[in-house]
Every structure is written in structure tokens, then in C-alpha cells.
Amino acid sequence: MSDLVNKVAELLNAPVDLVQRSAEARAAASGTTVDAVLSSWAGGESVTSAAPAAEAPKEETPVEEEVVEDTPVEVVEEETPVEEEVVEDTPVEVV
């Protein structure tokens, strides 16, 4: 397998470690061997996923949605009275 990894790394112009890790991940995801993935990348046949086990169709359970009604909220803003400040004119002495 080492020769195959080196060949693929050279073809892809990528580091050997990266090619190795990528091939391992692809093999795990597709349910095949690392060698099969590497030979596919080297120009062999394409990698096909292993046939997934037949699963029973999942029965969807109805989800009850809780309806929340919006009630209007009355916003009351109180105005604070503004006190007027009386300013007296005082003469200014100019020296």
C-alpha cells in the first residue's frame, strides 16, 4: 500500500500523509478499503459505496404544535412634570 499512496500523492501533488488520511476517511465513509480508494484515485475504477443495509421506513409521528395566542399589551407611559426654573437677570459689572 505504501507504493500506492506514494503514487497517488505524486499524481495529486499532495503530501503523502494527507493522501493517506483522506483515503482512510473516504474508505470509512464509503464502506470500502483504503486500497480500493487509492487505486481509484490512481486511475482505476471509481469507488462505489457499499450497499447500505435495508432500513425499515421510518414512520413519522405527528408533532403537536402548541398555539400561543398573543394578547395585546397596553403600554402606559407617565409623563414627569418639568419644573420651570426661574432665572433672574442680574446686572454684570464690566470693569
Side-chain angles (χ1 to χ4, degrees):
M1 179 172 69
S2 177
D3 292 336
L4 191 53
V5 172
N6 290 333
K7 179 182 176 184
V8 172
E10 186 178 323
L11 287 171
L12 297 175
N13 195 25
V16 175
D17 293 340
L18 179 64
V19 172
Q20 178 67 37
R21 288 193 316 262
S22 298
E24 289 170 357
R26 177 60 59 115
S30 62
T32 187
T33 65
V34 175
D35 286 337
V37 171
L38 288 171
S39 64
S40 166
W41 290 351
E45 296 178 13
S46 64
V47 177
T48 57
S49 298
E55 294 182 16
K58 294 181 182 178
E59 184 177 318
E60 293 185 25
T61 55
V63 177
E64 292 183 27
E65 293 184 18
E66 182 179 337
V67 177
V68 178
E69 293 183 23
D70 291 336
T71 55
V73 177
E74 185 178 337
V75 178
V76 178
E77 293 184 26
E78 292 184 22
E79 291 185 23
T80 54
V82 178
E83 293 182 23
E84 291 184 22
E85 186 177 321
V86 179
V87 178
E88 293 181 19
D89 288 337
T90 56
V92 178
E93 261 185 58
V94 179
V95 182

